[in-house]
Amino acid sequence: MQDRLQALKEEALLKIEQASDLKALQDVKVSYLGKKGPITEVLKGMGKLSPEERPVVGAYANEVRDAITSALESKVAELEQAVIEEKLKKESIDVTLPGRPVRQGNAHPLTAVIEEIEDLFLTMGFTVAEGPEVETDYYNFEALNLPKDHPARDMQDSFFITEDILLRTQTSPVQARTMEKHHGRGPVKIISPGKVYRRDDDDATHSHQFMQIEGLVVEENVRLSDLKGVLETFAKKMFGEDRKIRLRPSFFPFTEPSVEMDISCFKCGGKGCSICKHTGWIEILGAGMVHPNVLEMAGFDSKKYTGFAFGMGPERIAMLKYGIDDIRHFYTNDLRFLKQFKKA
Amino acid sequence: MLVSYNWLKDYVNLDLSAAELADKITKSGIEVEIVESLNKGITGVVVGHVLECVQHPNADKLRVCKVDLGEEEPVQIVCGAPNVAAGQKVPVAKVGAVLPGNFKIKKAKLRGEASNGMICSLTELGVEAKLVPKEYSSGIFVMPSDAEIGSDALAYLNLDDYVLELGLTPNRADCLNMLGVAYEVAAILDEELRLPEVQVETSGERASDYVSVTVDAKEDNPYYGAMIIKNITIAPSPLWMQNRLIAAGIRPINNVVDITNYVLLEYGQPLHAFDYDRLGSKEILVRRAKDGEEMVTLDDAKRKLGANHLVITNGEEPVAVAGVMGGATSEVQDNTTTVLLEAAYFEGIRVRAASKDLGLRSEASSRYEKGIDRNRVYDAAYRAASLMAEYAGGEVAEGIVEAGERLVSEGKAEVTKTRINSLLGTEIEAEQISAILKRLRFEFDVQGENYIVTVPTRRPDITIDADLVEEVGRIYGYDRIPTTYLFSEGRPGGLTPYQAARRKVMRYMEGTGLYQAVTYALTTPEKSTAFTFSEEQENVHSIKVSHPMSEERSTLRGTLIPQLLEVLKHNHHRSIDDVGIFEISSVFFAHEQSLSVLPEEKTYLSGALTGLWSIHPWQGEKKKMDFFVVKGILEGLFEELGLQSRISFESKSLPGMHPGRTAVVKLDSIAAGFVGQIHPGTQKDWDLNESYVFELNLDQLLGASVEPTIYQTLPRFPSITRDIAVVVDKNLPAGDLNTVIHEAGGQLLKESSLFDLYEGERMEEGKKSLAFSLKYYDPERTLTDEEVTKAHENILRSLEERFGASLRK
């Protein structure tokens, strides 16, 4: 009897081994382990055995059954795994195909530059001040020490609307307005960005509309050396830690002394190249100590308060930073241009 | 101002190169824009002596010359210049020489004759053609007969010089002349200053016997002086003077004219030489011109004058436009023998009026406009007279015939050491301050801490203490000013809530795939009001600038959309047809015809979209831009701003817009903008593809007060979702249905969303079907089926009553 079971076991295990799909296994299961299967048949004949033989054969029969069951299970697992693998194989994709695009625009490069500058000065305790683009002659000129017949008005031919109202030629009127609101009490610490307008013919380097960003600090005991500190911080953050700055005396009607700030060329490091016109220096901004007349007109005691102001052109900075060769690109808004400033 | 480095050496010792000097001048306050070498790459040009000059046997226009170059043998050179002649001293480029443009001189044969070098014209040596004296303009340059044969010709021609181009700010008109630059450079370098020594020997005659001077316009012409120089011989001026004029960008004419120009450059004082004999009288009368009065100026143009202009007359007729240009009739000519030399002070504003009206700008007029040193008039006149005596054989009559006040008094300015150091952040010692003021050649008294400075009339820009602080600071050196860091106490910086919100709006718009555009505020009157969405916008006046550059840029805009459409057009013309852009900028509204107060400025957020919204070709996905894409963007924005429940969209016909595809956007029932498709007609006018736009009053949106965010407890009980599909009239807006659904649904209805719209053929004519998914929820308990059914039926009943809706079967 045991021989018979042994043969059945070997026969079943071989069939399991040879089964190629789940259905064949199911057949094996039914035919060997089912109620009408040969093992059951064998066990039915147990009654003919001696009481000594019976438990031995019974145990062996169970052993055979367990072996077949276990072989079945592992074969099922094996086949299932194969099916899954087959499925995954069929599901494989070309991962080099392009992904589904997510629409994402970006800020205008001038906005990017202005926000970068704003953020820098916000961390230095400045606030952002804004004012109207259409201004009175008073705030645009007179309050900034540019009386009606001042020769420097020639420097900025303006779009007048009436004799007294014009498109602002600079963001400085925001300074005048802000100082006035302080009623002679400091500190004032602002940065003011915005659009300005001048009667220039549009060409590669001129635009009748452009941006400015200006800063103003009015406090007791503010010195030119403090301006130097602020500008140096700005230059290093904006153009690189190893930038050097240079102040040159200059002239603006609303500051005295007035300076222009150059930074060491970020392209060549000061050796001289086409960007810095072989001087090693790049002119970045104009600045100075607020003219006493400007302080007085805004209601500050110029004996007690001093201040500094600085102003720069975001277009110029963007042109230098990104190597843009024509100012008109900023206002034409060719999509091929705008798209280049994603990481700006 | 063009400054010759060699000329400057007359006044100041220069122990540094032109480039080093330029650097120092720039650092001290006057920007040297360019340092130009007058030698444009020349080597091997020497002085040659033409020994012999004969006709070329085979060429009419060529001459064969034997030229002595100071070497053993003279060389043969073939020359094409018409003015070459034996006996001349000429600049010769030897074989092996290099001329500007890297032009190398080699041995050559010209029509069979050997030519070993080249006799040069000034243009061949790099001088601009417009600066070459007329007599040499079409030939070689002839040098003075005392030029040393074989020596370097460049030194004779001053082509070894450097020219520094100064970029002068309006306050530094004092450096519009060589003496002013010399004062500046002497101060910067701490060197001695040598001023020209002027000595005039006068003849026995008196100028006042020859002319009288009257000024009838004292405000325009505070001082007028005239000198008389007789027995002049007109001839070319000396080569050194011509060289200096050329370096300064002025073409030499003849000795008298050159001298007036030379002194103009040297002293900054414009001078004019009249031919005394052709003046037509013995009288100078300065007056305003009469309206319509005419005269022919030096350039042979007939000029129409007006009462706004100042003229010099001979008592009757104008002979010069004051400070601008002389007249043709009294022009100095080759046969002139007596010169009346004018040295006057005209007010800049009057000179400017004439120079602007006549379109004439000259070295003289620009100096008058920027301001000259009145106390230098005399010195300049005498300097010119002495040069005329020396180089034109003139005899100077005694005295200056004059009218008006010549001298003006000098101003005073005060400053203290404390003020200087507290403004600059320095610790400059008293001795250093005194030394700097001396270098600047300012006279001063020290009274205690106070420096009382007498400001020379050449420096009218110095009036207050801050001006003196700057003078001391810049000579001390801005690079020596320390760097300090300013810390204000306890005042953090930051954006205002409005500014922060505006940045948030920008980031949101970028996130929806739109690119930010920045466009011009000036446009045409038509475009400035081409798109409106509220009645308020219609009752405004356009704001025109009084002197526009063009009609296209004449008027301030009241809408951003036209400029955005321009951007679409620009891109469309370059085959870029999938475009989505937005702009945040100011618009302007005037509530009066002629502005007496500033116009109203508002910030608008506008956008324009055209072409495909999304495209993913290899998976076959393509979505065209449509109304609902744009509306979706705006709805997302309103959610970002916490305004979604207060916003409504109402169909409205607006100018330039598709009448059936445009909605006004209302915030709390007040128009705040619009969204829609551009009218096909407008679209065609603009040469665009189908385009969508929106415009929102950003100030209005950001100005709306919004409740702070408060956390809502997460649902603890299940919600129940039921769908409802109803058939209604085709024209009924879905938004109206939604409103009623919410009213009727009561507290339990939490959300409704449209999930189906059907208007197809299986629908009765004039009807459509809308299906909503409705979500019921009670935060306190689990809802019963009965409750929900009751609410749901209530909704259906309300829809039936209000809109005649029927349940779709």
Side-chain angles (χ1 to χ4, degrees):
Chain A
M1 211 171 216
Q2 280 188 346
D3 293 345
R4 173 75 180 134
L5 282 171
Q6 168 86 30
L8 278 173
K9 178 184 162 190
E10 280 164 17
E11 192 185 302
L13 291 180
L14 185 67
K15 282 194 175 163
I16 290 167
E17 180 67 35
Q18 287 168 345
S20 60
D21 56 27
L22 288 169
K23 186 174 176 301
L25 282 181
Q26 186 58 28
D27 291 347
V28 173
K29 187 179 178 184
V30 171
S31 58
Y32 285 87
L33 301 179
K35 279 179 185 162
K36 290 172 185 165
I39 294 177
T40 314
E41 286 300 315
V42 171
L43 289 176
K44 275 182 188 163
M46 286 255 285
K48 293 174 191 156
L49 296 175
S50 66
E52 293 79 26
E53 277 183 319
R54 229 178 269 168
V56 177
V57 172
Y60 188 66
N62 282 334
E63 205 175 288
V64 169
R65 191 190 281 269
D66 288 350
I68 294 171
T69 308
S70 143
L72 269 171
E73 278 170 4
S74 70
K75 185 70 181 182
V76 165
E78 189 183 309
L79 285 179
E80 276 175 352
Q81 186 59 32
V83 167
I84 289 168
E85 271 164 24
E86 182 63 24
K87 184 164 179 270
L88 292 180
K89 206 172 164 189
K90 280 186 189 152
E91 282 175 356
S92 74
I93 53 167
D94 178 357
V95 296
T96 65
L97 283 168
R100 192 175 198 291
V102 172
R103 281 186 66 99
Q104 179 71 43
N106 55 254
H108 193 279
L110 292 176
T111 304
V113 165
I114 288 172
E115 287 187 357
E116 189 178 350
I117 296 171
E118 280 178 353
D119 290 346
L120 196 68
F121 283 99
L122 289 176
T123 64
M124 289 194 254
F126 284 68
T127 55
V128 177
E130 294 169 298
E133 290 173 34
V134 179
E135 261 297 359
T136 59
D137 189 274
Y138 177 77
Y139 287 113
N140 193 72
F141 289 127
E142 282 180 52
L144 300 166
N145 202 28
L146 275 152
K148 281 236 151 70
D149 56 352
H150 196 284
R153 280 202 186 194
D154 204 32
M155 287 164 81
Q156 37 198 19
D157 218 352
S158 332
F159 286 113
F160 275 91
I161 295 166
T162 69
E163 207 165 282
D164 197 45
I165 295 175
L166 74 160
L167 305 192
R168 66 178 176 191
T169 59
Q170 44 192 0
T171 45
S172 322
V174 180
Q175 299 188 6
R177 284 175 178 273
T178 307
M179 277 193 279
E180 205 177 71
K181 277 190 209 134
H182 273 75
H183 299 292
R185 268 216 293 280
V188 179
K189 213 170 169 189
I190 56 161
I191 186 110
S192 55
K195 299 189 178 91
V196 300
Y197 305 84
R198 291 187 195 174
R199 286 191 81 255
D200 268 328
D201 280 314
D202 295 339
D203 62 26
T205 53
H206 295 87
S207 182
H208 74 276
Q209 174 183 322
F210 57 100
M211 304 278 191
Q212 268 193 349
I213 186 159
E214 294 194 328
L216 171 72
V217 171
V218 178
E219 276 194 68
E220 288 176 47
N221 304 320
V222 174
R223 303 155 296 177
L224 187 63
S225 57
D226 298 319
L227 169 64
K228 221 173 165 178
V230 166
L231 294 182
E232 194 176 270
T233 307
F234 161 75
K236 285 179 187 294
K237 288 265 166 60
M238 196 76 189
F239 296 101
E241 278 302 322
D242 45 0
R243 290 283 74 70
K244 286 196 275 291
I245 72 162
R246 169 175 97 168
L247 296 188
R248 279 183 291 110
S250 187
F251 170 75
F252 306 105
F254 28 87
T255 49
E256 189 71 35
S258 301
V259 298
E260 265 173 298
M261 182 185 83
D262 301 333
I263 58 166
S264 56
C265 181
F266 47 78
K267 182 84 180 292
C268 64
K271 287 190 220 77
C273 69
S274 62
I275 299 260
C276 59
K277 293 180 193 143
H278 306 282
T279 62
W281 296 96
I282 298 175
E283 192 180 316
I284 291 292
L285 55 80
M289 301 306 291
V290 181
H291 198 289
N293 292 358
V294 174
L295 288 172
E296 294 287 343
M297 267 186 284
F300 280 86
D301 178 357
S302 68
K303 295 267 178 293
K304 187 175 169 200
Y305 283 100
T306 51
F308 62 73
F310 54 88
M312 65 194 112
E315 278 90 348
R316 178 168 167 73
I317 289 174
M319 286 168 94
L320 286 169
K321 209 173 156 176
Y322 306 121
I324 298 165
D325 56 355
D326 192 327
I327 197 170
R328 287 169 295 195
H329 284 315
F330 293 115
Y331 296 96
T332 311
N333 300 289
D334 192 302
L335 216 62
R336 295 164 299 184
F337 174 79
L338 294 179
K339 280 184 172 178
Q340 294 181 33
F341 303 96
K342 280 249 154 45
K343 63 179 195 296
Chain B
M1 174 74 188
L2 301 175
V3 177
S4 154
Y5 173 79
N6 284 346
W7 188 353
L8 193 60
K9 286 183 185 163
D10 278 8
Y11 316 113
V12 190
N13 287 338
L14 299 177
D15 293 329
L16 71 181
S17 74
E20 288 162 352
L21 174 64
D23 190 50
K24 292 211 166 182
I25 294 176
T26 296
K27 277 188 189 159
S28 305
I30 293 172
E31 193 180 355
V32 179
E33 291 174 341
I34 301 167
V35 181
E36 191 192 9
S37 169
L38 293 189
N39 181 345
K40 308 287 181 201
I42 301 173
T43 56
V45 178
V46 298
V47 177
H49 187 205
V50 183
L51 303 173
E52 194 184 303
C53 179
V54 298
Q55 186 63 43
H56 190 291
N58 307 319
D60 288 351
K61 291 189 174 167
L62 297 179
R63 244 66 70 80
V64 182
C65 307
K66 288 262 180 310
V67 186
D68 179 3
L69 300 179
E71 292 161 358
E72 281 179 24
E73 291 287 317
V75 297
Q76 174 168 307
I77 296 174
V78 177
C79 178
N83 63 334
V84 66
Q88 287 172 339
K89 295 274 179 71
V90 291
V92 176
K94 300 201 287 187
V95 169
V98 181
L99 293 183
N102 202 21
F103 176 49
K104 295 192 176 86
I105 304 299
K106 295 173 190 149
K107 281 189 181 182
K109 260 197 174 166
L110 292 169
R111 298 273 183 115
E113 289 293 328
S115 185
N116 298 315
M118 184 172 124
I119 305 177
C120 301
S121 69
L122 285 183
T123 45
E124 281 159 346
L125 295 174
V127 178
E128 268 188 89
K130 64 173 186 187
L131 298 178
V132 175
K134 270 209 176 107
E135 61 265 39
Y136 303 119
S137 62
S138 56
I140 53 155
F141 185 72
V142 181
M143 301 170 76
S145 54
D146 60 357
E148 193 187 329
I149 297 165
S151 65
D152 183 2
L154 295 186
Y156 277 98
L157 297 171
N158 194 42
L159 292 179
D160 57 354
D161 198 2
Y162 292 86
V163 172
L164 281 61
E165 185 173 347
L166 307 185
L168 292 172
T169 48
N171 61 324
R172 293 305 304 271
D174 61 296
C175 283
L176 276 170
N177 56 76
M178 292 302 291
L179 292 183
V181 176
Y183 272 104
E184 175 76 8
V185 170
I188 293 168
L189 303 180
D190 197 8
E191 282 281 353
E192 272 180 38
L193 178 69
R194 290 183 298 272
L195 296 176
E197 281 176 28
V198 180
Q199 279 181 341
V200 186
E201 286 192 22
T202 52
S203 63
E205 296 190 87
R206 298 170 62 90
S208 54
D209 291 337
Y210 284 81
V211 68
S212 67
V213 172
T214 317
V215 174
D216 266 0
K218 289 233 167 357
E219 281 187 6
D220 301 331
N221 182 197
Y223 175 80
Y224 193 99
M227 291 186 82
I228 298 290
I229 302 107
K230 289 184 69 182
N231 291 333
I232 291 257
T233 307
I234 299 292
S237 59
L239 184 59
W240 63 263
M241 187 181 284
Q242 295 193 33
N243 288 339
R244 288 179 174 187
L245 291 177
I246 289 173
I250 295 177
R251 181 186 208 162
I253 309 285
N254 61 43
N255 48 8
V256 168
V257 174
D258 290 358
I259 286 166
T260 60
N261 283 330
Y262 184 80
V263 176
L264 165 76
L265 292 174
E266 190 174 40
Y267 284 75
Q269 170 64 47
L271 299 169
H272 184 67
F274 294 98
D275 184 335
Y276 175 80
D277 296 317
R278 297 200 295 134
L279 206 54
S281 78
K282 297 178 88 174
E283 182 187 350
I284 290 287
L285 170 68
V286 186
R287 60 164 167 81
R288 290 286 188 103
K290 295 164 192 154
D291 274 327
E293 196 166 10
E294 288 181 340
M295 75 171 287
V296 177
T297 44
L298 278 177
D299 52 359
D300 289 326
K302 191 181 251 185
R303 306 284 179 178
K304 204 166 198 161
L305 304 168
N308 203 21
H309 309 140
L310 189 69
V311 287
I312 317 302
T313 72
N314 60 6
E316 300 286 330
E317 306 280 313
V319 292
V321 183
V324 179
M325 195 179 260
T329 53
S330 55
E331 183 183 5
V332 170
Q333 294 179 324
D334 289 350
N335 60 4
T336 297
T337 56
T338 303
V339 161
L340 185 152
L341 181 70
E342 165 196 289
Y345 181 87
F346 302 117
E347 285 296 343
I349 192 163
R350 195 56 43 220
V351 173
R352 184 178 179 175
S355 111
K356 205 173 151 198
D357 291 350
L358 302 180
L360 284 173
R361 260 183 91 82
S362 60
E363 297 275 348
S365 72
S366 69
R367 280 177 179 76
Y368 276 124
E369 286 176 33
K370 288 169 183 154
I372 62 169
D373 182 357
R374 193 158 148 191
N375 288 2
R376 233 182 236 172
V377 183
Y378 247 54
D379 294 345
Y382 277 115
R383 170 72 162 159
S386 77
L387 289 170
M388 285 186 196
E390 192 171 355
Y391 297 105
E395 292 169 16
V396 182
E398 203 182 313
I400 294 186
V401 187
E402 55 191 358
E405 283 295 318
R406 179 174 63 88
L407 290 175
V408 287
S409 56
E410 295 167 317
K412 300 257 188 214
E414 296 182 20
V415 71
T416 62
K417 182 184 130 187
T418 309
R419 179 70 168 165
I420 291 170
N421 286 318
S422 67
L423 208 53
L424 296 177
T426 48
E427 286 169 11
I428 306 176
E429 300 295 337
E431 307 84 75
Q432 288 174 290
I433 295 169
S434 299
I436 288 170
L437 293 175
K438 279 179 194 152
R439 280 163 69 174
L440 287 162
R441 284 151 182 94
F442 293 171
E443 285 176 22
F444 60 96
D445 285 332
V446 187
Q447 291 180 359
E449 245 232 316
N450 223 7
Y451 291 81
I452 302 161
V453 177
T454 304
V455 182
T457 51
R458 66 189 152 83
R459 291 296 307 273
D461 57 307
I462 294 169
T463 56
I464 58 168
D465 61 352
D467 298 324
L468 289 170
V469 173
E470 177 170 67
E471 289 301 306
V472 172
R474 72 188 186 88
I475 299 298
Y476 176 76
Y478 280 7
D479 48 352
R480 293 167 70 191
I481 293 172
T483 304
T484 52
Y485 297 93
L486 172 82
F487 296 102
S488 306
E489 299 133 27
R491 283 191 186 244
L495 296 174
T496 63
Y498 175 90
Q499 290 162 346
R502 192 178 50 198
R503 278 200 185 186
K504 184 176 165 176
V505 169
M506 275 193 253
R507 296 298 94 79
Y508 169 80
M509 295 317 288
E510 291 155 25
T512 67
L514 303 191
Y515 290 87
Q516 190 191 17
V518 180
T519 61
Y520 293 136
L522 286 170
T523 183
T524 65
E526 296 73 35
K527 286 180 193 163
S528 74
T529 54
F531 295 88
T532 55
F533 58 83
S534 74
E535 280 162 27
E536 191 196 358
Q537 290 172 320
E538 284 156 22
N539 299 321
V540 294
H541 300 271
S542 62
I543 306 168
K544 284 190 96 166
V545 297
S546 45
H547 294 98
M549 312 283 286
S550 67
E551 185 70 3
E552 196 60 35
R553 306 267 169 259
S554 64
T555 310
L556 280 173
R557 59 182 167 181
T559 165
L560 307 182
I561 288 176
Q563 314 292 75
L564 294 180
L565 294 183
E566 289 285 357
V567 174
L568 295 193
K569 185 161 105 180
H570 167 92
N571 282 292
H572 176 48
H573 287 176
R574 283 151 190 82
S575 303
I576 305 162
D577 287 322
D578 304 327
V579 181
I581 47 167
F582 76 98
E583 177 166 9
I584 294 177
S585 280
S586 294
V587 291
F588 307 84
F589 301 105
H591 301 291
E592 51 191 347
Q593 181 76 43
S594 163
L595 288 180
S596 60
V597 293
L598 294 183
E600 190 180 6
E601 281 186 40
K602 290 176 181 169
T603 305
Y604 274 14
L605 160 66
S606 307
L609 303 91
T610 184
L612 293 171
W613 169 243
S614 69
I615 177 162
H616 186 40
W618 70 269
Q619 288 191 318
E621 290 177 37
K622 233 181 201 187
K623 170 87 184 83
K624 265 183 66 182
M625 213 68 82
D626 66 21
F627 178 88
F628 297 102
V629 167
V630 188
K631 185 179 176 186
I633 291 174
L634 300 192
E635 284 172 331
L637 173 70
F638 300 138
E639 205 163 327
E640 284 278 306
L641 299 177
L643 297 173
Q644 71 271 29
S645 61
R646 292 155 65 180
I647 292 284
S648 59
F649 291 81
E650 286 175 20
S651 175
K652 192 164 181 187
S653 178
L654 293 173
M657 299 301 295
H658 190 305
R661 294 186 177 179
T662 299
V664 154
V665 179
K666 290 189 171 174
L667 170 65
D668 300 332
S669 312
I670 298 164
F674 74 97
V675 52
Q677 183 185 337
I678 291 289
H679 193 288
T682 317
Q683 177 191 320
K684 201 176 156 210
D685 294 345
W686 281 85
D687 190 18
L688 298 172
N689 291 331
E690 186 176 303
S691 303
Y692 294 84
V693 296
F694 66 87
E695 183 147 271
L696 298 170
N697 181 340
L698 193 62
D699 292 342
Q700 197 176 337
L701 296 179
L702 300 187
S705 60
V706 176
E707 298 289 319
T709 301
I710 290 171
Y711 159 75
Q712 304 283 309
T713 321
L714 299 181
R716 282 182 295 157
F717 301 98
S719 62
I720 294 178
T721 302
R722 294 252 177 108
D723 295 346
I724 188 169
V726 289
V727 175
V728 292
D729 282 350
K730 207 167 180 174
N731 294 332
L732 183 70
D736 293 2
L737 278 175
N738 203 28
T739 309
V740 170
I741 287 172
H742 274 277
E743 281 168 15
Q747 288 283 321
L748 298 184
L749 180 67
K750 286 291 173 293
E751 279 174 43
S752 75
S753 60
L754 181 78
F755 71 90
D756 187 50
L757 165 68
Y758 184 73
E759 303 179 304
E761 52 195 27
R762 283 184 289 134
M763 195 54 55
E764 193 188 327
E765 183 74 18
K767 297 280 182 189
K768 66 181 170 188
S769 150
L770 294 164
F772 294 86
S773 179
L774 307 179
K775 190 171 171 185
Y776 298 93
Y777 172 68
D778 188 322
E780 303 297 329
R781 62 206 167 83
T782 303
L783 287 174
T784 63
D785 231 29
E786 292 74 38
E787 284 175 302
V788 172
T789 305
K790 202 176 151 199
H792 206 65
E793 279 170 357
N794 194 34
I795 288 171
L796 180 62
R797 197 161 47 247
S798 297
L799 294 179
E800 283 167 355
E801 282 167 12
R802 291 283 293 277
F803 305 116
S806 59
L807 201 62
R808 189 178 178 198
K809 284 149 194 132

